[in-house]
Amino acid sequence: MQLPFDTIISDFSASALDRDKTRIYQAICDQDEVSRKRLAKHLSMRPTTISTLVNELIKDEVVEEVRTVASSGQGRPEVVLAPVRDRFIVIMLQVVSRTIRCRLVDMSGSLLGEEIIEINRDEADNSMILAATESLIEKLIANTPERSEILGIGIVVPGIIDRQNRLWIYSARWPRMQALPFDEIGEKFGLPVGVNRNLNLELRTRLLRKKEEREGSVLLIHWGYGIGSSYALNGSVIESSIGSFGEFGHWTVDPSSMRQCHCGESGCLETIASLWSLLPELRTIYPVVPSEETAFEAFTRENDISELPMIERAVDAFALSLANLNKAVFADRIVLTGPFVNIPSVLKRLESRFFQHLPHYAHGKCQMYVATLGAFDITQGCVMPFFEERMRTIFTAHDEAR
């Protein structure tokens, strides 16, 4: 994981010294066997400037001297410098299916610890989820390296959130949970809290990596345990006033259906096409079908489920709903993620049905492709703002000003 050095010091108040300090730290992160002498040559800076600013970084404990090596030329041995990756860490809390996963993440993206708990759907209310979360965080804090400073708690959840007020408004997987206040967790541990809807965070992180997608519109679709979407226009992820956008998994697609969705309504798309709704019928044929998405995707590589009647119904319902969603936004790109779209025959059927529903005037104006948005993308998007803010204070603080 790489800090966005070009944006950390991007405001007009940053001095030349701030920028030099940032460049030095970046070079220490990027290069092996780097020393003060080699930094001066590589960055074309005066040795005294290098020495002063490196000493500041060492004093701030974000850089350390690790060993001496023979000089590349004449003179005394050189001291090799290295970044202290675990100087600052972030607690990351993520909800996956019905589990809460809590991790300690350092500035390289490495996991220093992890605690996981599964929450029962019918019992999970605000108090239970808060208690479980606080228990996981306490265990991680107890195992934090002594030299590490915890910067905050980054939270990634599905459903509807109020990001500004750090409230988890609603999630269909735990319907008894309503407007859960994550600020209570921050107050308990004395740490700032950041909250993100998972699909919005995934799309925001994707746009950081793919500059070409920052122009026009992108519709990110996830089809797995649940169904949802995120949408970006000209590089900005769109959010509604209640903290959600694109909850099309809870569109009513069969008003006559009596099958109840996790959201409390009946006849939703998820009751036909989501993994949670398909599991009971799939398990009558394959008793060991897993509910976790990664394990389910591996299962489908060994077992062809694409021609099962319930899967064909799911694909057709999903394709029609996606086509209707696209008519509302007419995205330039549709990015598909999740285990179902990684089944080749399912993807082929989905594409065929989708483009059949596409208006004639929109043909050729929408690209559709599958992407793998790994856990690292989510981790980076969740924890990076904490590291950026803290390192900005490091780069703009100098001994002569203290």
Side-chain angles (χ1 to χ4, degrees), residues 52-265:
T52 297
L53 296 180
V54 165
N55 289 343
E56 288 183 9
L57 291 169
I58 292 173
K59 184 176 181 180
D60 289 320
E61 300 179 70
V62 296
V63 167
E64 61 185 345
E65 297 175 324
V66 292
R67 64 181 181 279
T68 58
V69 295
S71 174
S72 54
Q74 294 182 345
R76 294 178 296 177
E78 298 176 25
V79 179
V80 174
L81 305 167
V84 182
R85 301 289 190 181
D86 61 354
R87 173 66 179 89
F88 302 121
I89 58 178
V90 173
I91 296 171
M92 178 182 172
L93 186 152
Q94 184 182 8
V95 171
V96 179
S97 297
R98 291 201 184 106
T99 64
I100 299 175
R101 300 181 179 183
C102 205
R103 303 180 177 103
L104 282 180
V105 184
D106 71 11
M107 289 197 290
S108 69
S110 297
L111 300 185
L112 306 183
E114 182 176 39
E115 297 288 339
I116 300 174
I117 190 170
E118 185 168 352
I119 304 293
N120 182 281
R121 174 182 182 268
D122 297 324
E123 298 175 358
D125 57 11
N126 286 23
S127 60
M128 174 178 282
I129 294 172
L130 282 173
T133 299
E134 290 171 0
S135 174
L136 297 180
I137 293 174
E138 286 173 349
K139 291 178 182 178
L140 287 179
I141 290 177
N143 293 301
T144 299
E146 287 187 11
R147 69 177 180 179
S148 300
E149 176 186 336
I150 301 175
L151 300 183
I153 303 171
I155 297 172
V156 184
V157 293
I160 299 173
I161 67 166
D162 179 344
R163 192 154 63 105
Q164 183 175 356
N165 294 304
R166 293 165 296 282
L167 287 171
W168 192 8
I169 303 298
Y170 178 76
S171 174
R173 68 197 61 201
W174 290 322
R176 292 185 61 193
M177 183 277 299
Q178 300 285 332
L180 190 149
F182 283 119
D183 271 349
E184 289 188 15
I185 297 174
E187 290 167 3
K188 178 179 176 65
F189 296 103
L191 293 168
V193 172
V195 182
N196 286 279
R197 177 175 177 256
N198 55 356
L199 290 178
N200 288 359
L201 181 65
E202 290 177 20
L203 181 53
R204 197 174 292 118
T205 306
R206 177 182 176 85
L207 294 174
L208 289 175
R209 291 189 289 106
K210 294 186 172 291
K211 295 181 180 180
E212 70 276 10
E213 294 188 6
R214 297 177 202 169
E215 294 184 4
S217 55
V218 180
L219 184 59
L220 174 67
I221 301 296
H222 183 76
W223 183 13
Y225 187 83
I227 295 170
S229 70
S230 184
Y231 179 73
L233 181 62
N234 295 327
S236 297
V237 176
I238 305 300
E239 295 180 292
S240 72
S241 59
I242 65 168
S244 183
F245 183 95
E247 289 290 314
F248 81 112
H250 300 290
W251 283 2
T252 301
V253 295
D254 185 0
S256 64
S257 172
M258 299 302 293
R259 185 170 187 190
Q260 191 174 51
C261 182
H262 286 172
C263 71
E265 302 293 332

Side-chain angles (χ1 to χ4, degrees), residues 376-393:
F376 193 77
D377 277 338
I378 300 173
T379 299
Q380 181 178 12
C382 177
V383 304
M384 192 62 76
F386 294 96
F387 294 134
E388 289 181 43
E389 182 176 353
R390 187 65 178 89
M391 290 305 295
R392 187 174 287 110
T393 67

